[in-house]
């Protein structure tokens, strides 16, 4: 984020002295600054502008759908419990967003303004108003208005509803700002960026939790009345208390309505006080986290040099590449996010199936399918550092050793992970009679994905930007999707012989020989993976300049 223009500079008095800007003069400057950052970001590429416009349109349509849906529930019994629950979930989302998406809004970082003569109190007012510009506040406003219309059945409730809408929006925005400011040192550090890799897993688990809760809610036949017990607790938690105040006013309980609004107003005051304290600390205290991080990292390197996994790996290029690949997966935020998503969702699919009371051991196929895709775009994962790898590849033999070592690094994690998921799925979901089928097929599928991933890394390389939240550089989205789609189809073709063997054993009634699927599947997976890397190796050596250009874009 660049420094504000001259209009943001402190004004001069007639005597020539500078004075700090007031909240009234600072607010329009920060609003224009936020709009300028947005406009300049969209100008960088057409793809980014199209993606933003599409997300804006979809978000507005979704907000309108939520608003109309809540209005449609106006005369439904127990609808107020739903409004209270939605307000509480909305506040939780606002509190979590700054932790998992710290770079979504550059104005969330107050350290960018510490060199300007700005006092915390007027700065808080300006930042709070600036925060109201965006898709999130519009969606929050739509949900709050819909909840109020759904629950307001009298003139008094409508008046309370107006205050409730204002309080809900302000509390949510102030909560996000306070959390972001309190954790700004963490969020702008490498450890903070590592925290963002959990965002996808958080969303996936949260989505499945909502799915399970929805099924249990409507599957029980109790309808919205099942939410009343939860609503009775959450109605005392701001900003849900402001939404419940509308329901209380509609029922004539004006004392409870006033109390609900008072709780939300008190929460807003406390959040603003907390925000002011943390903002003052951030803008006046030195940042020693960098020095501490360097000291800790140096100590960690001294402890880990020459030990641990490195001692167990073979010497030479193979051990070096495997160690590099695993370190990328642990330290690089983009790689860590991809691996965490694959492992988390691979575990989540059988667990969700068990919680829903259905599913079988065959849901364990999600483990090799998701983890095997980490073999795709291997060279793009190295980003601009791939030129150092390319400088060591001069023959097809060098390329084969490089690919084989990367496949080995994936297998060191993939095989134990697949084993854990298959054994767990067999124990929880069953039946154990299908254990050898699923385990053998899973190993064969993992090997097929390693083979097609090696080939796709050569034929369809693309860049992964290291400085943004995007996983694909502008203009290379079609290449990435085609690589994934073609690779998955090819993996299915490569796994077809094992599928045919499994079907034949079942059809022929040779159930006593099903155990052969495990060793045959393991051997087939290793063989097909080595064959795929052997075929891809000459192409790597021949296309190194093209691959280097493709992975260095963006």
């Amino acid at each position: 984020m660049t420094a504000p223009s001259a209009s943001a500079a402190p004004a001069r008095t007639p005597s020539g002295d500078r004075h700090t800007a007031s909240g009234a003069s600072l607010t329009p400057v920060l609003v224009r600054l936020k709009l300028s950052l947005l406009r300049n970001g969209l100008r960088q590429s057409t793809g980014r502008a199209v993606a933003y416009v599409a997300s804006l349109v979809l978000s507005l349509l979704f907000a309108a759908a939520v608003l109309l849906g809540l209005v449609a529930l106006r005369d439904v019994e127990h609808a107020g419990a739903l409004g209270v629950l939605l307000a509480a979930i909305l506040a939780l989302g606002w509190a979590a967003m700054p932790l998992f998406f710290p770079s979504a809004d550059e104005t969330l970082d107050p350290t960018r303004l510490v060199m300007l003569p700005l006092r915390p109190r007027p700065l808080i007012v300006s930042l709070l108003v600036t925060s109201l510009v965006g898709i999130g506040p519009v969606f929050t406003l739509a949900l709050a208005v819909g909840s109020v219309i759904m629950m307001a059945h009298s003139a008094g409730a409508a008046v309370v509803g107006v205050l409730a809408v204002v309080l809900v929006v302000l509390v949510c925005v102030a909560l996000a700002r306070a959390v972001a400011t309190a954790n700004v040192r963490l969020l702008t550090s490498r450890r903070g960026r590592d925290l963002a890799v959990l965002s996808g897993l958080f969303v996936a688990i949260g989505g499945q939790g909502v799915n399970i809760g929805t099924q249990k809610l409507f599957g029980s036949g109790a309808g919205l009345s099942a939410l009343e017990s939860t609503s009775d607790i959450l109605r005392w938690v701001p900003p849900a208390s402001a939404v419940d105040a509308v329901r209380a006013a509609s029922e004539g309980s004006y004392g409870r309505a006033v109390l609900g609004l008072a709780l939300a107003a008190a929460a807003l005051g406390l959040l603003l006080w907390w925000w002011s304290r943390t903002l003052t600390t951030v803008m006046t205290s030195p940042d020693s986290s960098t020095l501490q991080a360097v000291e800790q990292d140096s100590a960690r390197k001294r402890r880990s040099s020459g030990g641990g996994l490195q001692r167990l790996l073979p010497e030479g290029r193979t051990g070096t590449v495997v160690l590099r690949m695993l370190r990328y997966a642990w330290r690089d935020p983009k790689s860590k996010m991809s691996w965490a998503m694959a492992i988390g969702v691979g575990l989540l699919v059988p667990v969700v199936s068990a919680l829903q009371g259905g599913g079988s051991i065959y849901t364990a196929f999600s483990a090799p399918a998701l983890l095997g895709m980490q073999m795709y775009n291997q060279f793009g994962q190295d980003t601009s550092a791939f030129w150092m790898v390319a400088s060591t590849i001069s023959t097809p033999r060098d390329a084969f050793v490089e690919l084989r070592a990367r496949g080995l690094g994936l297998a060191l994690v993939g095989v134990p992970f697949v084993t854990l998921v298959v054994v767990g799925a067999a124990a929880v979901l069953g039946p154990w009679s299908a254990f050898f089928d699923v385990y053998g097929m899973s190993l064969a599928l993992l090997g097929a994905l390693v083979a097609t991933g090696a080939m796709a890394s050569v034929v369809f390389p693309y860049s992964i930007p290291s400085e943004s939240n995007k996983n694909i550089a502008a203009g290379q989205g079609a290449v990435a999707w085609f690589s994934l789609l073609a690779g998955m189809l090819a993996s299915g073709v490569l796994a077809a012989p094992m599928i045919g063997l499994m079907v034949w054993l079942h059809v022929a009634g040779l159930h006593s020989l099903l155990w052969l699927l495990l060793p045959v599947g393991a051997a087939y997976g290793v063989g097909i993976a080595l064959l795929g890397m052997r075929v891809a190796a000459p192409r790597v050596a021949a296309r190194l300049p093209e691959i280097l250009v493709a992975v260095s874009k963006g």
Side-chain angles (χ1 to χ4, degrees):
M1 173 177 166
T2 58
S5 60
S7 60
R12 288 183 180 271
T13 63
S15 60
D17 298 330
R18 293 180 182 270
H19 63 81
T20 56
S22 64
S25 62
L26 185 61
T27 300
V29 173
L30 289 183
V31 172
R32 289 198 303 269
L33 179 59
K34 182 170 185 176
L35 295 177
S36 297
L37 288 172
L38 176 61
R39 182 176 61 253
N40 294 336
L42 297 180
R43 285 177 176 174
Q44 292 182 4
S45 68
T46 305
R48 177 178 295 186
V50 172
Y52 180 81
V53 172
S55 63
L56 176 62
V57 172
L58 291 177
S59 299
L60 292 177
L61 290 176
F62 184 64
V66 170
L67 175 61
L68 295 176
L70 292 174
V71 173
L73 295 174
R74 178 176 173 81
D75 296 324
V76 177
E77 191 176 3
H78 305 294
L82 176 62
V84 172
L85 180 62
L86 289 177
I89 294 175
L90 188 66
L92 178 62
W94 275 94
M97 280 297 176
L99 298 177
F100 292 109
F101 302 98
S103 59
D105 184 355
E106 290 183 325
T107 61
L108 282 174
D109 186 2
T111 59
R112 299 175 184 268
L113 304 174
V114 295
M115 299 303 294
L116 299 177
L118 304 174
R119 294 187 181 276
R121 183 166 297 177
L123 184 59
I124 284 178
V125 175
S126 300
L127 289 177
L128 185 62
V129 175
T130 306
S131 302
L132 299 176
V133 179
I135 299 176
V138 172
F139 177 79
T140 303
L141 179 64
L143 191 146
V145 170
S147 299
V148 167
I149 295 176
M150 177 179 63
M151 291 186 291
H153 297 285
S154 65
V159 174
V160 173
V162 173
L163 298 175
V165 169
V166 174
L167 286 172
V168 167
V169 175
L170 291 180
V171 167
C172 288
V173 174
L175 176 61
R177 286 291 190 177
V179 170
T181 303
N183 296 277
V184 67
R185 301 295 191 195
L186 169 66
L187 298 178
T188 53
S189 65
R190 186 177 70 84
R191 291 299 182 188
R193 290 191 294 270
D194 289 348
L195 180 65
V197 305
L198 299 176
S199 60
L201 190 59
F202 176 80
V203 172
I205 295 175
Q208 289 296 332
V210 172
N211 180 37
I212 295 173
T214 302
Q215 291 184 358
K216 290 184 177 296
L217 173 63
F218 293 102
S220 63
L224 295 178
S225 61
L227 301 177
E228 286 291 350
S229 57
T230 305
S231 173
D232 289 341
I233 299 174
L234 295 178
R235 70 183 184 182
W236 303 111
V237 180
S241 61
V243 176
D244 182 73
V246 181
R247 180 171 61 169
S250 296
E251 297 172 354
S253 302
Y254 291 102
R256 201 179 84 193
V258 172
L259 179 59
L261 293 177
L263 286 174
L268 177 61
L270 289 175
L271 287 172
L272 293 176
W273 173 81
W274 178 37
W275 186 10
S276 177
R277 291 289 301 272
T278 55
L279 186 61
T280 302
T281 301
V282 167
M283 298 185 71
T284 58
S285 62
D287 181 13
S288 59
S289 60
T290 303
L291 179 60
Q292 294 173 359
V294 170
E295 293 174 349
Q296 292 173 2
D297 191 55
S298 300
R300 189 184 305 112
K301 287 181 178 179
R302 289 193 298 269
R303 290 193 303 266
S304 62
S305 59
L309 180 62
Q310 189 173 3
R311 291 199 301 254
L312 304 178
L313 295 174
E315 297 182 357
R317 186 187 191 104
T318 299
T320 301
V321 173
V322 170
L323 192 62
R324 183 186 69 217
M325 181 180 180
L326 296 179
R327 280 178 173 170
Y328 277 176
W330 181 252
R331 296 180 180 179
D332 179 64
K334 295 292 181 68
S335 297
K336 184 183 290 188
M337 177 178 64
S338 181
W339 282 78
M341 282 291 294
I343 294 175
V345 177
L347 287 170
L348 191 63
V349 171
V351 171
V352 170
S353 299
L355 292 176
Q356 292 177 337
S360 66
I361 187 177
Y362 293 98
T363 57
F365 283 130
S366 62
L370 291 169
L371 201 61
M373 285 190 288
Q374 304 309 306
M375 191 65 187
Y376 285 69
N377 195 36
Q378 275 294 306
F379 306 130
Q381 294 179 30
D382 293 345
T383 62
S384 58
F386 177 65
W387 72 268
M388 292 187 291
V389 177
S391 64
T392 65
I393 299 176
S394 57
T395 65
R397 173 64 183 174
D398 295 335
F400 174 71
V401 175
E402 177 75 22
L403 290 174
R404 185 183 63 185
R406 292 175 184 250
L408 176 60
L410 179 63
L412 288 178
V413 179
V415 173
F417 175 67
V418 168
T419 303
L420 173 65
V421 174
V422 174
V423 172
V428 176
L429 298 172
W432 277 102
S433 58
F435 173 75
F436 294 113
D437 307 37
V438 176
Y439 196 13
M441 279 300 305
S442 295
L443 296 177
L445 178 60
L446 183 62
L449 285 167
V450 170
T452 57
M455 182 61 72
S457 298
V458 182
V459 181
F460 304 109
Y462 57 91
S463 175
I464 301 177
S466 57
E467 297 299 329
S468 66
N469 288 330
K470 297 171 61 177
N471 289 323
I472 304 172
Q476 293 185 322
V479 176
W481 283 109
F482 189 79
S483 169
L484 186 60
L485 179 60
M488 293 297 290
L489 293 176
S491 299
V493 173
L494 293 180
M498 282 297 301
I499 297 175
L501 176 61
M502 181 180 65
V503 172
W504 178 74
L505 289 175
H506 279 280
V507 172
L510 301 175
H511 300 288
S512 60
L513 298 179
L514 287 175
W515 65 271
L516 291 174
L517 290 173
L518 177 54
V520 172
Y524 184 82
V526 173
I528 200 67
L530 291 174
L531 178 61
M533 291 183 286
R534 181 75 69 178
V535 173
R539 291 167 173 79
V540 173
R543 300 188 71 240
L544 266 181
E546 301 173 37
I547 297 174
L548 187 57
V549 171
V551 302
S552 299
K553 293 181 179 179

